[in-house]
Amino acid sequence: MVLQPSERHYRDWSDRRLGPWCSPTGSPAPLSCETGCGEGSWILVCRLLVPTQVSLLSMEEDIDTRKINNSFLRDHSYATEADIISTVEFNHTGELLATGDKGGRVVIFQREQESKNQVHRRGEYNVYSTFQSHEPEFDYLKSLEIEEKINKIRWLPQQNAAYFLLSTNDKTVKLWKVSERDKRPEGYNLKDEEGRLRDPATITTLRVPVLRPMDLMVEATPRRVFANAHTYHINSISVNSDYETYMSADDLRINLWNFEITNQSFNIVDIKPANMEELTEVITAAEFHPHHCNTFVYSSSKGTIRLCDMRASALCDRHTKFFEEPEDPSNRSFFSEIISSISDVKFSHSGRYIMTRDYLTVKVWDLNMENRPIETYQVHDYLRSKLCSLYENDCIFDKFECVWNGSDSVIMTGSYNNFFRMFDRNTKRDVTLEASRENSKPRAILKPRKVCVGGKRRKDEISVDSLDFSKKILHTAWHPSENIIAVAATNNLYIFQDKVN
């Protein structure tokens, strides 16, 4: 039996996977024509590796975790399936950068502080903390294995000395607290020096506990676990601008959570039909508006975007605005439905625009114009002739993400062969750059790459037939206020900064 694209598409979701926001902390100057997408405008700051294992340190261990993890990361260059990075996210200040991998681990990097002797190290990031966020589970009622893979990480704004972040796998969202400890209490009355409880009858004097200095230790502790609310795989989480609630979206439903309530959530979108055979689309991504706590947007596998307002109804099955670009009948093909599926949706920092990524393009939509996007950028249009082979090796189902820079003037997204693309919205210039080990020397200048489609190939060009589709940039992140980007390639995290920084 030959499956039609739509049938295989939905079978793929049901069998395997039915299917960031950052508040602005500043407004950097837009990238100019000369530095934004020009040749040699980005340099490699550092290349970091995700660890192949995580040593879980107890709270009493007197160990500097940063030194141990830093040496461990830089000494290991091999990778397993569990080491593949699955999400990347800067915090609101850009001082911390978190990555999640398929092994359920979270690695947090901290930016080097600027010093007079090493000014050039200002953009470097070193390991701050590593911890195991999720473990593999098994649902015995459904005979379903739940992977430990981290699908998304979202930071909460910092309110005190500690940091908080949300991480999620397919079923469970966890709230983590990351804090530092450089003192430990000594002189307990009810415990001896080894921590064992003493017999109260033997206590004849009272001591005042004191705090003694110790080597700095970073602790990650789970504060909340939000579970048992999703039947299907979670693909998105987004923190609301009120910082009291967040939403989690799976393939058919979106739930609203309060950070203080773990045993109850509110279903705000439900597109599951009464008869699953009538299912025609699934939810692929969702995000809250950066400033209006009542507004959110979600995208679908049919290439549509729905804007919802929670003031209109508690259950937002009826959208407020519907964004869809009419399909050109002349471009209709066997794969049209698959490549039109939206893999990522992002509000601009200003909240005026929406950016979406489908398989071949990135589109920018104005909230006030629903019938078509105001900008469309071709990411790798040279692959249009290779959709058949991409369909056979399942690459056509890859879910690429997209990000804005801090001023919403430049957008970035990934491609194959470890290429990633930047588009300057002001000048309409674009550039293709490569994150590779060959260019992994610190301070190395990135040279633009070009893909040749047939005909004679120049010396600095690469043929479309030579592209490696096993190397792909799915996850990227942009510093909220500076021209620093993080690009995940397999188990490697590349951090680049603008040459003018």
Side-chain angles (χ1 to χ4, degrees):
M1 180 180 68
V2 178
L3 291 175
Q4 296 298 319
S6 58
E7 292 175 336
R8 176 170 176 176
H9 206 186
Y10 300 127
R11 185 198 66 178
D12 180 77
W13 275 311
S14 60
D15 289 350
R16 295 184 299 176
R17 297 187 58 83
L18 275 174
W21 66 277
C22 286
S23 63
T25 58
S27 298
L31 298 180
S32 65
C33 302
E34 292 75 25
T35 61
C37 295
E39 183 173 355
S41 60
W42 291 88
I43 59 176
L44 175 68
V45 178
C46 53
R47 179 173 71 91
L48 304 163
L49 303 176
V50 167
T52 55
Q53 62 182 353
V54 174
S55 176
L56 298 179
L57 303 174
S58 65
M59 295 180 63
E60 284 73 27
E61 285 181 300
D62 186 5
I63 299 176
D64 188 341
T65 60
R66 292 185 295 179
K67 293 180 180 179
I68 290 180
N69 289 328
N70 188 46
S71 62
F72 186 84
L73 289 182
R74 294 183 182 276
D75 291 343
H76 292 72
S77 58
Y78 56 87
T80 64
E81 180 72 15
D83 300 322
I84 297 176
I85 298 174
S86 54
T87 184
V88 183
E89 186 78 7
F90 280 101
N91 74 337
H92 291 75
T93 62
E95 294 301 306
L96 297 181
L97 174 64
T99 66
D101 63 26
K102 289 188 175 182
R105 297 167 297 237
V106 173
V107 182
I108 302 176
F109 302 93
Q110 186 180 47
R111 193 177 187 184
E112 281 286 332
Q113 298 300 315
E114 187 174 1
S115 64
K116 295 181 179 179
N117 299 330
Q118 296 176 317
V119 179
H120 67 280
R121 290 176 59 96
R122 172 59 179 149
E124 288 194 16
Y125 285 77
N126 288 316
V127 176
Y128 181 68
S129 176
T130 68
F131 59 92
Q132 189 75 29
S133 176
H134 287 72
E135 299 282 357
E137 301 176 23
F138 191 81
D139 188 335
Y140 294 96
L141 294 177
K142 298 180 180 179
S143 296
L144 180 67
E145 185 178 354
I146 303 173
E147 295 181 350
E148 65 271 32
K149 172 191 171 188
I150 306 298
N151 292 338
K152 294 291 180 182
I153 291 176
R154 291 293 179 263
W155 290 91
L156 276 66
Q158 188 177 7
Q159 304 292 339
N160 48 42
Y163 302 95
F164 289 86
L165 62 86
L166 288 170
S167 64
T168 183
N169 65 350
D170 286 341
K171 299 291 183 180
T172 304
V173 183
K174 294 184 179 181
L175 175 65
W176 289 90
K177 176 183 179 182
V178 181
S179 56
E180 297 180 355
R181 186 156 67 95
D182 59 0
K183 293 181 176 62
R184 63 183 173 200
E186 291 183 358
Y188 287 107
N189 289 289
L190 301 179
K191 295 181 181 179
D192 59 20
E193 297 303 326
E194 297 181 359
R196 294 174 296 195
L197 290 175
R198 299 169 59 186
D199 184 1
T202 63
I203 302 175
T204 58
T205 60
L206 293 178
R207 295 185 295 177
V208 178
V210 295
L211 294 175
R212 301 290 187 192
M214 59 175 282
D215 290 338
L216 179 65
M217 188 172 77
V218 181
E219 302 171 340
T221 53
R223 299 302 300 271
R224 303 281 190 277
V225 177
F226 306 89
N228 305 320
H230 285 277
T231 305
Y232 306 98
H233 298 314
I234 298 174
N235 55 50
S236 302
I237 52 176
S238 180
V239 182
N240 202 345
S241 58
D242 60 11
Y243 305 132
E244 295 181 0
T245 58
Y246 77 93
M247 70 177 175
S248 56
D250 64 26
D251 305 287
L252 299 179
R253 297 186 179 97
I254 299 178
N255 293 332
L256 181 68
W257 299 83
N258 187 293
F259 281 110
E260 302 299 324
I261 303 174
T262 60
N263 60 354
Q264 180 180 337
S265 64
F266 297 94
N267 180 231
I268 55 177
V269 172
D270 187 349
I271 66 170
K272 182 180 179 180
N275 184 0
M276 283 295 286
E277 294 182 357
E278 300 174 358
L279 179 65
T280 60
E281 63 179 337
V282 296
I283 299 170
T284 57
E287 187 178 59
F288 268 118
H289 191 282
H291 309 305
H292 304 311
C293 62
N294 55 281
T295 306
F296 67 94
V297 68
Y298 69 92
S299 59
S300 81
S301 58
K302 275 193 170 182
T304 61
I305 309 105
R306 292 172 174 85
L307 183 74
C308 300
D309 190 337
M310 290 187 290
R311 296 174 299 182
S313 174
L315 184 62
C316 300
D317 286 348
R318 295 184 179 180
H319 49 268
T320 303
K321 291 189 175 184
F322 183 78
F323 301 85
E324 183 180 24
E325 184 178 23
E327 183 182 10
D328 186 354
S330 61
N331 292 332
R332 178 73 181 175
S333 70
F334 183 82
F335 306 104
S336 295
E337 185 177 345
I338 301 177
I339 64 176
S340 65
S341 175
I342 295 175
S343 58
D344 195 18
V345 59
K346 292 281 188 354
F347 272 106
S348 63
H349 294 93
S350 65
R352 172 69 186 273
Y353 305 102
I354 300 173
M355 174 172 55
T356 60
R357 171 69 203 266
D358 55 41
Y359 190 68
L360 295 177
T361 66
V362 173
K363 298 175 182 177
V364 177
W365 303 75
D366 191 316
L367 288 184
N368 297 323
M369 190 167 68
E370 304 174 45
N371 59 343
R372 61 184 176 85
I374 59 173
E375 301 166 22
T376 300
Y377 301 97
Q378 300 294 333
V379 179
H380 38 216
D381 198 52
Y382 45 79
L383 296 181
R384 194 175 294 273
S385 61
K386 295 188 171 296
L387 293 179
C388 185
S389 59
L390 292 168
Y391 177 77
E392 291 300 322
N393 62 19
D394 279 349
C395 284
I396 202 170
F397 299 109
D398 287 335
K399 302 181 186 303
F400 293 94
E401 297 177 1
C402 52
V403 292
W404 303 86
N405 73 333
S407 61
D408 300 332
S409 61
V410 181
I411 57 182
M412 175 175 62
T413 190
S415 182
Y416 293 104
N417 208 69
N418 279 355
F419 289 167
F420 59 98
R421 302 267 285 148
M422 289 185 178
F423 303 94
D424 192 315
R425 299 180 60 208
N426 296 327
T427 64
K428 305 305 178 184
R429 296 184 64 180
D430 62 86
V431 66
T432 301
L433 301 174
E434 181 182 7
S436 65
R437 294 186 179 183
E438 290 73 18
N439 300 326
S440 60
K441 293 183 180 179
R443 322 309 294 180
I445 299 178
L446 292 186
K447 295 183 179 180
R449 302 302 303 270
K450 293 182 180 180
V451 178
C452 172
V453 184
K456 293 184 179 180
R457 181 172 63 89
R458 295 182 180 179
K459 183 179 179 180
D460 58 342
E461 293 181 338
I462 181 171
S463 171
V464 66
D465 297 320
S466 303
L467 296 177
D468 188 347
F469 294 103
S470 64
K471 297 179 179 179
K472 58 193 77 172
I473 303 295
L474 301 177
H475 313 288
T476 59
W478 202 306
H479 191 287
S481 59
E482 297 182 34
N483 288 330
I484 298 177
I485 58 175
V487 176
T490 318
N491 70 320
N492 293 271
L493 180 67
Y494 295 87
I495 300 177
F496 306 98
Q497 73 177 21
D498 196 349
K499 188 178 179 180
V500 299
N501 280 4

